[in-house]
C-alpha cells in the first residue's frame, strides 16, 4: 500500500459560513452554485475545499463554444486509430472528484443539461457516444458551478430547472481586515502600503455608481500589491492593476487616478 501525498489546502479566508455549507453539501452529495462578483474567491474556495476534502478537482472554464463533448469526452485520433478520452466531467464522476464549471452561464444550454442526471438521486451519466454506457458517480463526486449575478441577462441565465438542482452560496468581497490578510499573504506587501491599498479598494467599492460596471476585486488589489513589490510606485501599480481593468474611458481613468492618489499616504501625492 502506498501513502497518497495529501496536498496542503491553498489558503482561503472565509467571510461567512461558506466552508461549512460547502462541506455539508458535499457530504450530502448535493451540487453547489457559487454566486459572486469576479475575483472574490470562488475558484480559491473550490480549490481549498477539494484539498480539504481530499478529492481530485477538475476545473472547466465555460465559454459559448463549449459543447457537451467538452465535458463528457470524445474520440480522438491516435496514429491510425480512434481512442475515447474522458472529458473533465466524466473524469470527476469516475474518480469521485469535484467538477467545477467556472462561469457556467457562458456555456450553451445543451452542455449544461448534460449535468442534470448527475444532480438528482440518480447520480448517473450516459455516454451516448460510447454506445449509451451509463456511469454511476463515485461517492465523492460533486458538481460545483460559479457565476457572476452582475452579468446576468435574459439571454444568459441558468435555467430554473438547472438552478433548482443546486444549493446556492453567495460570496462577496471580504471585509477590510480579511481582505488585508489575503492581500498580505498573497503579496507580502508592507503594512503602510497594504493599509492604503485596502482603503483604496473600499473607497472604489463605495463609489460603484460612478459609472463603473464592476468594482475593484480582491484579485486586482493583489495584482497591484505584487507590482508594488516589484518596485512600482503606488499610483503606477494601482493604475495598471486596478484602474485599467475597470475602464477604458479616459475621463473615468483620470478620476480613478485622483482617488488612487488620495489614498497614497506616501509624501509624493498627499
Ligand atoms: P473568482 O473565482 O471569484 O473570480 P478567485 O478565487 O480566482 O476569484 O480569486 C482571485 C484571487 O484572489 C485568488 O487567486 C486569491 O489569491 C485571492 N482571493 C480572493 N478571495 C480570497 C479568499 N477569501 N481567501 C484567499 N484568497 C482569496
Amino acid at each position: 500500500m502506498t501513502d497518497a501525498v495529501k496536498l496542503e489546502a491553498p489558503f482561503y479566508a472565509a467571510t461567512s459560513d461558506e466552508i461549512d455549507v460547502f462541506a455539508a453539501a458535499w457530504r450530502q452529495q448535493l451540487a453547489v452554485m457559487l454566486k459572486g462578483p469576479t475575483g472574490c474567491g470562488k475558484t480559491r474556495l473550490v480549490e481549498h475545499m477539494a484539498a480539504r476534502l481530499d478529492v481530485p478537482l477538475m476545473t472547466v472554464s465555460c465559454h459559448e463554444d463549449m459543447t457537451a463533448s467538452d465535458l463528457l469526452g470524445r474520440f480522438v485520433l491516435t496514429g491510425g486509430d480512434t481512442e475515447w478520452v474522458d472529458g473533465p466531467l466524466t473524469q470527476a464522476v469516475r474518480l469521485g472528484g469535484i467538477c467545477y464549471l467556472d462561469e457556467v452561464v457562458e456555456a450553451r444550454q445543451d452542455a449544461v443539461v448534460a449535468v442534470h442526471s448527475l444532480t438528482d438521486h440518480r447520480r448517473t451519466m450516459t455516454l451516448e457516444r460510447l454506445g449509451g454506457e451509463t456511469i454511476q458517480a463515485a461517492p465523492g463526486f460533486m458538481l460545483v458551478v460559479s457565476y457572476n449575478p452582475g452579468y446576468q441577462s435574459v439571454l444568459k441565465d441558468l435555467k430554473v430547472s438547472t438552478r433548482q438542482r443546486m444549493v446556492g452560496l453567495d460570496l462577496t468581497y471580504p471585509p477590510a481586515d480579511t481582505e488585508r490578510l489575503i492581500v498580505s499573504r498573497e503579496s507580502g506587501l508592507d503594512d503602510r502600503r497594504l493599509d492604503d491599498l485596502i482603503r483604496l479598494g473600499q473607497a472604489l467599492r463605495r463609489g460603484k455608481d460612478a459609472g463603473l460596471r464592476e468594482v475593484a476585486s480582491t484579485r486586482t488589489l493583489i495584482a497591484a500589491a505584487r507590482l508594488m513589490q516589484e518596485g512600482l510606485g503606488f499610483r503606477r501599480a494601482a493604475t495598471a492593476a486596478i484602474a485599467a481593468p475597470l475602464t477604458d474611458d479616459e475621463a473615468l481613468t483620470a478620476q480613478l487616478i485622483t482617488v488612487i492618489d488620495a489614498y497614497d499616504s506616501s509624501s509624493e501625492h498627499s
Side-chain angles (χ1 to χ4, degrees):
M1 211 174 87
T2 54
D3 285 334
V5 180
K6 197 172 170 180
L7 287 176
E8 204 191 315
F11 169 72
Y12 177 78
T15 51
S16 177
D17 59 358
E18 64 268 30
I19 291 180
D20 292 342
V21 177
F22 194 111
W26 180 77
R27 285 193 298 272
Q28 288 297 318
Q29 302 191 324
L30 297 168
V32 164
M33 169 170 59
L34 298 177
K35 297 195 255 180
T38 181
C40 76
K42 298 184 292 297
T43 302
R44 179 59 71 93
L45 171 64
V46 181
E47 290 166 354
H48 176 84
M49 293 308 295
R52 203 167 158 140
L53 300 168
D54 197 19
V55 290
L57 172 63
M58 279 80 197
T59 297
V60 182
S61 296
C62 298
H63 54 85
E64 58 190 14
D65 296 327
M66 196 178 87
T67 62
S69 305
D70 291 321
L71 293 176
L72 304 177
R74 54 167 53 88
F75 284 101
V76 292
L77 271 173
T78 48
D81 234 348
T82 56
E83 192 189 337
W84 173 262
V85 177
D86 282 343
L89 180 65
T90 312
Q91 285 176 26
V93 163
R94 289 194 207 273
L95 295 171
I98 293 176
C99 182
Y100 175 44
L101 306 184
D102 194 8
E103 299 292 349
V104 68
V105 288
E106 297 299 329
R108 292 206 321 244
Q109 292 290 349
D110 59 323
V112 177
V113 166
V115 306
H116 276 193
S117 61
L118 285 164
T119 51
D120 57 31
H121 63 282
R122 293 171 285 177
R123 282 176 59 88
T124 56
M125 71 189 298
T126 304
L127 299 173
E128 300 298 345
R129 296 205 182 156
L130 278 187
E133 182 189 330
T134 297
I135 313 170
Q136 183 70 48
F141 170 74
M142 181 190 205
L143 180 77
V144 180
V145 307
S146 76
Y147 78 98
N148 179 347
Y151 285 163
Q152 274 8 79
S153 69
V154 184
L155 287 176
K156 279 190 174 173
D157 202 352
L158 278 181
K159 276 186 173 178
V160 175
S161 59
T162 305
R163 295 172 69 103
Q164 296 217 351
R165 291 163 180 275
M166 302 180 193
V167 172
L169 252 180
D170 284 296
L171 297 179
T172 54
Y173 297 121
D177 53 343
T178 310
E179 189 160 56
R180 190 181 190 284
L181 176 74
I182 295 168
V183 178
S184 168
R185 282 197 58 136
E186 302 284 316
S187 68
L189 193 66
D190 59 88
D191 286 348
R192 183 185 61 76
R193 286 183 298 176
L194 206 49
D195 287 337
D196 291 351
L197 196 55
I198 297 302
R199 285 172 53 238
L200 170 64
Q202 303 277 318
L204 292 174
R205 282 174 204 160
R206 281 194 300 274
K208 186 181 178 350
D209 34 324
L212 297 171
R213 190 157 162 257
E214 280 282 309
V215 294
S217 68
T218 307
R219 179 189 286 126
T220 63
L221 298 185
I222 294 169
R226 287 193 177 152
L227 289 180
M228 290 178 204
Q229 288 293 67
E230 285 294 324
L232 269 70
F234 191 86
R235 176 197 276 190
R236 189 70 197 98
T239 305
I242 302 172
L246 287 179
T247 184
D248 298 322
D249 184 273
E250 272 182 39
L252 212 46
T253 303
Q255 277 182 39
L256 287 174
I257 294 175
T258 312
V259 181
I260 290 169
D261 286 348
Y263 283 87
D264 180 1
S265 66
S266 71
S267 53
E268 215 180 321
H269 308 288
S270 56

